[in-house]
Amino acid sequence: NLDEDGRPCAADDPLKDLNAALVAYGTVISNYPNSQYLSPAVLNSIEIRLDYFHDTKGAERLFEEHASFPAEFAERAALTRIKMYMMEGRFGDALTASLREIPADAAEGKTLAVDNNYLSRLRYDAARALYYLGNFDSASYYLNQITGDPMSDAANEAIRLSNLIVNNNPMPE
């Protein structure tokens, strides 16, 4: 069996539904370019391409075509771009994108209007990028900022990555 795009799939294949969703989102993107439905359709399409098809090239193309997102989708768009960079192995770009989104005042510990979970997610993504770049001390710095806030959605992931760094770091001579 082939789906609407000519990709092979079984009749009961769950990816068939995801392909159908991509076609539907594509219709919204092309038919309603200046509507309130554009940004969610673009972001949902990108996330499906990344999460289920590992289609980083298609996701990147779609992101570049619609790179301007309104304020209510800016955080989700930033996190999606960082995720795309990480999946492509572009850890330097992921780090730059993460750090660009962290307000300067956040580094000084000031109270911000920024959503704490968003800030924690950015710090975690920066730490992961630093980890893959081999900069474990800097990664630990960002992870410690997250694990200090037990209400953070990223705290458990940060603890796991911190433990990985601690348990695999060679002892000083």
Side-chain angles (χ1 to χ4, degrees), residues 36 39-40 43 67-78 101 115 118:
Q36 65 193 26
S39 292
L43 289 169
S68 178
F69 292 94
E72 68 260 26
F73 294 100
E75 290 179 359
R76 182 176 171 200
E101 293 295 318
D115 176 13
Y118 175 61

Side-chain angles (χ1 to χ4, degrees), residues 43-108:
L43 289 169
N44 289 340
S45 291
I46 290 170
E47 289 169 356
I48 289 171
R49 289 177 188 283
L50 291 175
D51 293 341
Y52 296 98
F53 296 106
H54 305 288
D55 177 14
T56 56
K57 298 298 179 207
E60 178 90 34
R61 182 181 35 76
L62 196 54
F63 205 103
E64 293 305 320
E65 289 172 5
H66 304 282
S68 178
F69 292 94
E72 68 260 26
F73 294 100
E75 290 179 359
R76 182 176 171 200
L79 293 173
T80 301
R81 180 177 285 280
I82 293 164
K83 178 182 185 176
M84 187 170 46
Y85 287 153
M86 292 295 289
M87 288 181 75
E88 291 175 328
R90 295 170 53 187
F91 306 122
D93 290 336
L95 176 62
T96 300
S98 298
L99 296 179
R100 181 177 44 238
E101 293 295 318
I102 297 173
D105 292 345
E108 299 168 12

